[in-house]
Amino acid sequence: MTEASRQKPIGIIGAMTMEVKGLIARLEEDKTREIAGLVFHQGRLDGVDCVVAKCAPGKVNSAVCAQIMILEYSPRLVINLGVAGGVGVGIGDLVVASQCVQHDFDPTPLGDPLGCLSICRGEEEESFIQLHSDKQAAEVLLEEAKTIYGGAHLGVIATGDAFVADPAKSRWLNETFGAKAVEMEGASIAQACYMNRVPFAVLRAISDNANDESPADFPAFAKECADKSAQLLAKTIARL
Ligand code: ADE
């Protein structure tokens, strides 16, 4: 990393208060600004310049938050953290994204594969299904997870504007995209980051199994799992 890049903050986005509250409480010299109703907290976390925001659930909220964060704070890395539905992984497990996909983006009637995004690059357009997370950030998160919690899964995280509580859909996410977790913000933050050429990482703790038990499991485990991902990030931030 160059010296100029080290001076830029790390951006942290969570969708729910429980996902960011602990980190905001630990920020030293917290300065806040409100833009488009989103509150951005800039300060130092374990000596590292950070900007933390809650975006509220969903792809549009999270993409708007990421875009504002990028334009206003020039982060050198954006990390999305919080909880997710597990797809073949257990409640309480951690998942670090290798890639992110938008499972509900459907251009198939036009002949493109499911999840295939189109992104402008000037007059040209690029198309792809998976957005790759920052390899180094993912490795550091995995290493720290091993030390603190005995490990984390590395794999595809699927994002869509739906809370998944259906075993058939959960199986489909795994068969179609190889997903290990499903949530509602990771891939939209990833897309905003990709468009701005900013590296990103996604770290999620599994609060439910995206099946018909999810409506009961989610409120029972979400807070504990949100704390788990925030604690891992707080312990890792100085290495990112
Ligand atoms: N976030 C946590 N659990 C989820 C689920 N089952 N579906 C979508 N987002 C989630």
Side-chain angles (χ1 to χ4, degrees):
M1 197 192 318
T2 63
E3 198 42 46
S5 169
R6 188 160 280 289
Q7 282 169 9
K8 295 177 172 181
I10 292 180
I12 300 170
I13 301 176
M16 294 179 287
T17 301
M18 68 169 107
E19 293 171 328
V20 291
K21 200 177 170 182
L23 293 175
I24 292 168
R26 291 164 84 143
L27 278 182
E28 289 162 41
E29 298 168 44
D30 179 8
K31 287 194 206 85
T32 63
R33 278 170 75 196
E34 186 176 321
I35 306 168
L38 300 164
V39 182
F40 294 85
H41 296 259
Q42 188 172 28
R44 294 174 78 78
L45 192 62
D46 200 16
V48 179
D49 270 334
C50 290
V51 51
V52 187
K54 178 185 92 164
C55 63
K59 293 197 300 178
V60 175
N61 281 331
S62 54
V64 168
C65 182
Q67 184 63 50
I68 293 172
M69 188 178 267
I70 290 166
L71 290 176
E72 295 292 322
Y73 295 94
S74 302
R76 61 180 154 95
L77 169 73
V78 173
I79 301 172
N80 170 226
L81 90 169
V83 297
V87 179
V89 302
I91 291 176
D93 285 7
L94 289 157
V95 180
V96 175
S98 52
Q99 292 111 316
C100 293
V101 297
Q102 293 180 32
H103 67 78
D104 57 354
F105 193 84
D106 185 4
T108 54
L110 301 173
D112 284 332
L114 194 67
C116 187
L117 305 169
S118 296
I119 292 180
C120 289
R121 281 284 176 228
E123 299 302 333
E124 309 297 319
E125 274 183 37
E126 294 176 359
S127 299
F128 40 74
I129 298 173
Q130 299 184 330
L131 286 156
H132 291 258
S133 69
D134 185 69
K135 264 208 168 104
Q136 203 200 331
E139 268 165 29
V140 171
L141 286 164
L142 288 171
E143 272 174 32
E144 290 293 327
K146 197 163 191 181
T147 313
I148 305 167
Y149 296 117
H153 305 272
L154 176 70
V156 175
I157 294 186
T159 301
D161 278 324
F163 187 94
V164 177
D166 173 1
K169 180 106 187 216
S170 169
R171 263 196 312 279
W172 174 84
L173 286 168
N174 181 259
E175 285 161 11
T176 311
F177 298 107
K180 282 197 158 73
V182 59
E183 36 82 314
M184 300 172 71
E185 299 83 23
S188 38
I189 291 172
Q191 183 174 346
C193 287
Y194 181 82
M195 292 174 76
N196 290 278
R197 302 187 195 279
V198 174
F200 72 91
V202 182
L203 166 66
R204 297 280 181 158
I206 301 305
S207 54
D208 58 86
N209 278 326
N211 60 18
D212 33 23
E213 283 151 33
S214 293
D217 288 343
F218 179 77
F221 299 113
K223 163 95 182 59
E224 198 185 319
C225 291
D227 287 346
K228 197 169 179 178
S229 68
Q231 268 167 32
L232 175 59
L233 183 56
K235 293 236 166 70
T236 310
I237 200 91
R239 292 187 58 200
L240 291 170

